[in-house]
Amino acid sequence: QVQLVESGGGLVQAGGSLTLSCATSGLTFTWYQMGWFRQAPGKERESVAAISASGYDTYYGDAVQGRFTISRDDVGNTVTLQMNNLKAEDSATYYCAGDRRPFSDFLHTPTSWITYWGQGTQVTVSS
């Protein structure tokens, strides 16, 4: 049984930092592209950051470029999102996701097609 479990969300003031973690189990972690997505109330789920199965390639959405960093630990089977200089507009539920399609395809795949999702963790940034 595959599980993706996010943690690390919470309430933070604007300008602050949070680190989200996604612990995975039940899958061969090194086979999977991994990504972080977020969804605010009334908005569509959007891609925030992604990292290739090899760890060599990363992607960041324009809104978070330069502020967020994605990384993976292939020993601990976890993927982390370091979020700095948080803004009120970063407030959302953040989801971890994994898929085996090629990284370039993963970046353009509709969210409904992505294989595995976590349950989400709430991030609230007060201004």
Side-chain angles (χ1 to χ4, degrees), residues 1 5 11-12 15 18 26 32-33 49-50 59-60 63-64 68 71 78 81 86 93-94 100 104-105 113:
Q1 179 182 0
V5 180
L11 174 64
V12 64
L18 279 176
Y32 283 80
Q33 329 295 348
Y59 159 85
Y60 296 95
V64 307
F68 290 10
S71 61
T78 59
L81 184 68
L86 284 161
T93 300
Y94 283 70
R100 288 190 61 186
S104 57
D105 294 340
W113 293 8

Side-chain angles (χ1 to χ4, degrees), residues 30-35 37 50-55 57-59 72 97-110 113-115:
T30 54
W31 291 359
Y32 283 80
Q33 329 295 348
M34 300 298 298
F37 295 74
I51 188 165
S52 63
S54 68
D57 299 302
T58 57
Y59 159 85
R72 64 188 296 152
D99 199 278
R100 288 190 61 186
R101 66 193 75 226
F103 190 60
S104 57
D105 294 340
F106 177 62
L107 296 179
H108 299 97
T109 296
W113 293 8
I114 292 175
T115 305

Side-chain angles (χ1 to χ4, degrees), residues 11-53:
L11 174 64
V12 64
Q13 289 188 332
S17 299
L18 279 176
T19 302
L20 304 184
S21 293
C22 173
T24 72
S25 60
L27 53 77
T28 304
F29 185 68
T30 54
W31 291 359
Y32 283 80
Q33 329 295 348
M34 300 298 298
W36 286 94
F37 295 74
R38 67 186 182 188
Q39 188 167 18
K43 295 188 176 182
E44 292 187 356
R45 191 168 297 190
E46 65 173 350
S47 177
V48 174
I51 188 165
S52 63

